[in-house]
Amino acid sequence: MPQSDPDSVAREALRLIGADPQNWVPDRDGIDHNVVVVGGGQSGAAFAFAFRRAGIGKVSVIDAAADASKAGVWLTSARMHKLRTPKTLPGPELGLPGLGFQAWYEARHGTAAFDALDRIPRLDWATYLDWYRRVTGVGIRYGTRLLRIEPAADHLRLHLERSGVTTIETTRKLVLATGFAGSGGAYVPDVLRALPKRFHAHTSEKIDFRTLRGLSVAVLGSAASAFDAAAAALEAGARDVHLFARRESLAALPVIRIRGYPGAYDNYGSLPDAVRWHQASRFRQAGSTPPPDAISRAVAFPNFHLHLGAPWTSAQLKGVRPVAITPQGEIAFDFAIAGTGYSVDLGAQSELGDFADEILLWRDRFVPPDGEKDDSLAAYPYLGSGHEYLEKVPGRAPYLKDIHVFNPAAFVSFGLPIGDVPSFKRDIPGITARISRDLFLADLASHEARINGEIAEDFTAELYAPAVWRPPQPAAAE
């Protein structure tokens, strides 16, 4: 049964862990923040809570979105009915079950309602995240965009824009919790870019599906976001939807799932490069699998048409309508949606412009066997154990160690779509611990003085003097 006070479990969890530790990081002249987290979605909120519990103060979380409803994907570009991940996976609660989705949901709807869920409804997840930010007291600085990261002597200068005004703030550590678009942006095939922009959009963009009513819609791609977009168009009244897949059959092997047991999950970053590369290559060859319910959602419409083995070779305007050329012939349409994922191209991220060429990439570190060569995977950053950028030339860009990557660009190094819920349990504590260590060792002289400083005694010898045993004195001779 739902509880009369649905927040009581969360408040009790927070009470039992005690007050937050005091900030132990010494202030430095000219430094505004110890840590800045870029991205105020589910990851940024969890990091803010994790740093606070680690006693790391002066942490700021920024997001370019105007407010919470526009931050992240759940109320913007996400169009699935349910999350892809199992409902029981640990999330931003970071080991405190009372702050987890299950506790939140059961407090409002009862245990039977949670048991009846197969996966978490998207809108419920968005509501839960809003509650999580509120109950943990996490603050996000919305409307704040990172324009440029400028390396300085022992810190980073962040060029920020807010309400059209540019300011500079300084930080010792930076976490890029920037989601799928944070390491190169949406991938739109050249064949689609050849058409005027009014005829196409990427699934990451805001699309008013009401405008597609009565139109013929083409969807490129066959992973989850492509099927979500196809279903959303059909539900909005599209005349028909044609989804084009390059493969002869839809990807159905969940490669990542098989290595989700604790041994592989916990220790993945310690695997040899050849093993990590092979796993990434195996995933690419198998393809990203759309959930069965996403397929069923589209297939339920008789005016949905799936084209297998049908990559577009070209597209052009013929009269007022675009026409795609495929191995199955020409297909005319009114609007196209690219469900083609995202690219990793650090040079395309303007904020990294000062030093993108200095970042070590997988192609700089590892030469794959002939059967596993993949230029796309080779462009991923080769990250250190704390998800930090590494130098391509040792000694030339030491500041890179202070930039930690918590977005899908960490996939080859850590084996998951980093930033999605499955990565939270392992990687948020891991990055937090690494940043804590780095900050502590960087100020070791100050900490040595602190831990070796004078300290008052808890008590004096008077407390135990009456109980001190003394050997009996021999009797005096008469």
Side-chain angles (χ1 to χ4, degrees):
M1 292 291 293
Q3 299 177 17
S4 57
D5 179 7
D7 290 347
S8 62
V9 173
R11 284 199 303 272
E12 183 67 0
L14 292 170
R15 184 188 71 81
L16 290 173
I17 61 171
D20 295 331
Q22 291 184 343
N23 174 31
W24 53 261
V25 184
D27 285 344
R28 288 190 177 187
D29 291 340
I31 304 298
D32 300 313
H33 311 285
N34 291 319
V35 187
V36 170
V37 181
V38 184
Q42 59 186 21
S43 303
F47 268 114
F49 183 60
F51 286 129
R52 198 173 75 211
R53 292 303 305 172
I56 299 173
K58 297 178 70 173
V59 174
S60 183
V61 183
I62 64 173
D63 197 291
D67 54 49
S69 68
K70 298 178 178 62
V73 300
W74 305 115
L75 297 177
T76 55
S77 59
R79 301 176 181 99
M80 75 285 282
H81 287 162
K82 303 172 184 177
L83 272 60
R84 320 290 187 204
T85 49
K87 65 180 181 180
T88 54
L89 276 185
E93 70 269 21
L94 302 180
L96 297 174
L99 297 181
F101 176 83
Q102 180 174 354
W104 173 84
Y105 193 87
E106 289 183 352
R108 285 152 179 79
H109 307 289
T111 56
F114 180 80
D115 291 342
L117 293 179
D118 56 346
R119 298 201 310 277
I120 298 174
R122 172 176 58 88
L123 295 181
D124 284 337
W125 182 252
T127 304
Y128 159 71
L129 291 175
D130 188 58
W131 170 86
Y132 175 89
R133 287 187 288 266
R134 177 175 57 81
V135 78
T136 59
V138 167
I140 312 292
R141 295 166 59 195
Y142 294 107
T144 304
R145 182 181 300 277
L146 175 63
L147 301 177
R148 177 190 174 200
I149 306 168
E150 179 189 358
D154 60 353
H155 60 276
L156 301 167
R157 286 164 52 87
L158 306 183
H159 296 248
L160 307 175
E161 181 185 57
R162 183 177 177 86
S163 302
V165 177
T166 302
T167 59
I168 295 177
E169 298 180 13
T170 54
T171 186
R172 295 176 64 180
K173 285 285 189 175
L174 188 68
V175 177
L176 299 177
T178 44
F180 278 95
S183 292
Y187 172 68
V188 178
D190 290 340
V191 66
L192 200 55
R193 290 183 184 275
L195 296 173
K197 185 64 178 76
R198 67 181 183 277
F199 290 111
H200 65 86
H202 188 270
T203 52
S204 63
E205 298 178 61
K206 183 177 180 179
I207 301 173
D208 185 352
F209 283 88
R210 295 171 300 181
T211 65
L212 303 181
R213 183 176 182 83
L215 301 183
S216 181
V217 178
V219 177
L220 281 75
S222 57
S225 64
F227 274 95
D228 290 341
L234 290 162
E235 290 163 357
R239 182 172 74 246
D240 53 49
V241 171
H242 293 258
L243 188 146
F244 297 85
R246 291 176 299 171
R247 298 172 181 269
E248 296 293 339
S249 61
L250 295 179
L253 294 175
V255 169
I256 290 179
R257 194 181 308 161
I258 198 172
R259 56 176 188 254
Y261 61 95
Y265 176 86
D266 294 340
N267 302 299
Y268 192 91
S270 299
L271 290 171
D273 289 353
V275 177
R276 289 189 288 173
W277 181 271
H278 175 71
Q279 290 299 313
S281 175
R282 185 181 178 213
F283 171 79
R284 288 267 294 172
Q285 292 173 14
S288 181
T289 59
D293 60 296
I295 299 172
S296 298
R297 181 182 168 194
V299 169
F301 288 84
N303 49 341
F304 172 73
H305 309 287
L306 176 61
H307 298 253
L308 296 173
W312 287 15
T313 56
S314 66
Q316 57 188 313
L317 284 178
K318 288 192 175 182
V320 297
R321 298 186 76 199
V323 173
I325 311 301
T326 80
Q328 299 174 357
E330 295 187 359
I331 303 287
F333 59 92
D334 300 302
F335 190 78
I337 300 174
T340 44
Y342 299 82
S343 60
V344 171
D345 178 6
L346 301 186
Q349 295 296 126
S350 59
E351 66 271 23
L352 304 180
D354 282 18
F355 50 80
D357 291 342
E358 301 287 354
I359 297 172
L360 182 71
L361 306 180
W362 269 84
R363 65 173 173 243
D364 304 317
R365 184 68 177 254
F366 179 73
V367 179
D370 289 342
E372 293 183 357
K373 293 186 184 298
D374 189 311
D375 290 341
S376 295
L377 295 178
Y380 279 65
Y382 186 101
L383 300 175
S385 59
H387 286 232
E388 75 276 17
Y389 286 136
L390 299 177
E391 300 170 274
K392 189 174 296 186
V393 179
R396 199 161 73 182
Y399 50 84
L400 290 176
K401 70 180 183 301
D402 293 323
I403 305 174
H404 300 259
V405 179
F406 195 73
N407 62 40
F411 168 67
V412 183
S413 295
F414 291 96
L416 289 170
I418 303 300
D420 281 1
V421 172
S423 66
F424 278 35
K425 179 177 180 288
R426 181 190 67 189
D427 295 314
I428 290 181
I431 294 172
T432 301
R434 177 57 176 272
I435 288 176
S436 174
R437 190 198 76 175
D438 288 353
L439 292 174
F440 182 81
L441 294 179
D443 290 322
L444 184 56
S446 174
H447 290 296
E448 279 189 303
R450 178 177 176 179
I451 62 180
N452 289 320
E454 294 184 2
I455 185 170
E457 293 181 336
D458 281 346
F459 49 84
T460 66
E462 294 177 354
L463 180 65
Y464 54 85
V468 174
W469 182 84
R470 291 177 177 82
Q473 298 295 319
E478 294 185 1

